[in-house]
Amino acid sequence: MKKVYSLQIQYPEQMREFDSHLTKTGRRSLSHSISHSSTDSNSSGGSDAEDLEDEVCPRDMQQMNSKGTRDFCIKNIKLADFGRREIELAEDEMTALMALRKAAQGEKPLAAAKIVGCTHVTAQTAVLFETLKVLGAQCRWAACNIYSTQDEVAAALAEQDFPVFAWKGESEDDFWWCIDRCVNVEDWEPNMILDDGGDMTHWIYKKNPHLFKKVKGIVEESITGIHRLHHLSKAGKLCVPAINVNDSVTKQKFDNLYCCRESILDSLKKTADIMFGGKQVAVCGYGEVGKGCSAALKAMGSVVYVTETDPICALQACMDGFRLVKLGDVVRQVDMVITCTGNKNVVVREHMDLMKNGCVVCNMGRSNTEIDVNSLRTPELVWLHVRAQVDHIVWPDGKRIVLLAEGRVLNLSSSTVPIYVLSITATTQALALIELFNAPEGRYKKDVYLLPKKLDEYVASLHLQTFDARLTELTDEQAKYMGLSKNGPFKPSYYRY
């Protein structure tokens, strides 16, 4: 187990430090045209029933499922049957989570767990939610992204009495209202948090810090949320243990590298109708996400430039055949700029002022702070909403750039993510919740931890069953020679895959 921080921590009284790191996840556009893009998405919805509800905010609707339950807020409960079919299709690919369900038929490792979550609400994450219930947990859920919710899936969950508060096209106020509805409940207090971006954790710190007296731990999936947890830890204000699943090997390789390698092309095709051959592309960041995006674009015939601050990642980019540049040196000539850093202000107004007409700008990193979109909301620039997730920003001289998903995560906003990849991430999250909830007193301090290597390997082994794959087993002599257990873990915590 690799311990990241070790500090003496008290319950927070002032939240200013955490507030100052609030990302733009909640900085929502209130533009009418954007908020009504809910029928154009990675969701397969678009039925007449959904169209009729588009003009009414779900908060103003009184909905009830077939069992008479009203503890949810979604776009349209009538979409439940369609959403259930999507969830069933996802279950076929998410074999590891289904295996966990079978293993829990007798023992329920999350019995008495009350999990409050803020993640994407899609068919794949619904399989995770329902798996947690099978494992014995009570759950309440909100969406971490205003564009990624599949309304039909939210309806299917609500129909099964799952308290979900999410719909595609939420405003900023809607976003925080949904989170509050998950937390601020009479006679129900969470004891576990599953977060993607840190917004649920932030809200509890800000509005209900007393709840942390009962919370046993936090499981965080994204680099943005991890940064926020580390900030709390450094400030001595992290009052529960947390597991960082973002940096687990399986998540890094599959969700970040392999997933983005496949989904970046589909996302760009769906939104901007781009031909990739011969295009000049600047990829900002050469971590796992940047590696995946760069490899996919290079394979399609694009000329790819890479920007990087880390000399190790920079050297990897050079060895992989990419030219390492500063963005300012190529921004006038490139056809696309793709951010993959998780940082802030990677692409600023000065860069966009220099871009050529028709340059496409988008973000594949977790944080929606990478592109300084607010700097484009000035009187001299005109925003033209072309279609869902596509805006043209027009300069006074007639030049325009193409901004995708308002700088939010492109593949989650306008495309789909392979189910197999999401199965790996979801299994990692489920096992991390089980680990934290059942850990004996004293195993985890009020720090940020990596997922135990043994669990990381277990996630991988569960997914090998999808392939015609057979692992080689160490002999007793080999295990003794290497100083390993025959059952793993097979690599030390510091090993880099």
Side-chain angles (χ1 to χ4, degrees), residues 346-387:
V346 177
V347 176
V348 296
R349 176 64 183 269
E350 288 75 12
H351 292 130
M352 292 181 277
D353 283 338
L354 297 174
M355 290 175 182
K356 67 182 183 181
N357 185 55
C359 184
V360 175
V361 184
C362 64
N363 170 37
M364 284 289 287
R366 170 59 182 85
S367 174
N368 59 349
T369 61
E370 300 204 31
I371 302 167
D372 187 7
V373 175
N374 285 338
S375 70
L376 299 175
R377 302 189 187 280
T378 55
E380 73 274 12
L381 300 183
V382 177
W383 283 61
L384 298 177
H385 184 60
V386 179
R387 58 177 176 269

Side-chain angles (χ1 to χ4, degrees), residues 414-444:
S414 59
S415 183
T416 56
V417 176
I419 298 175
Y420 186 76
V421 168
L422 291 174
S423 175
I424 290 173
T425 299
T427 306
T428 303
Q429 291 170 311
L431 290 174
L433 287 166
I434 293 171
E435 171 69 15
L436 270 182
F437 185 72
N438 293 284
E441 188 75 24
R443 174 181 292 180
Y444 294 105

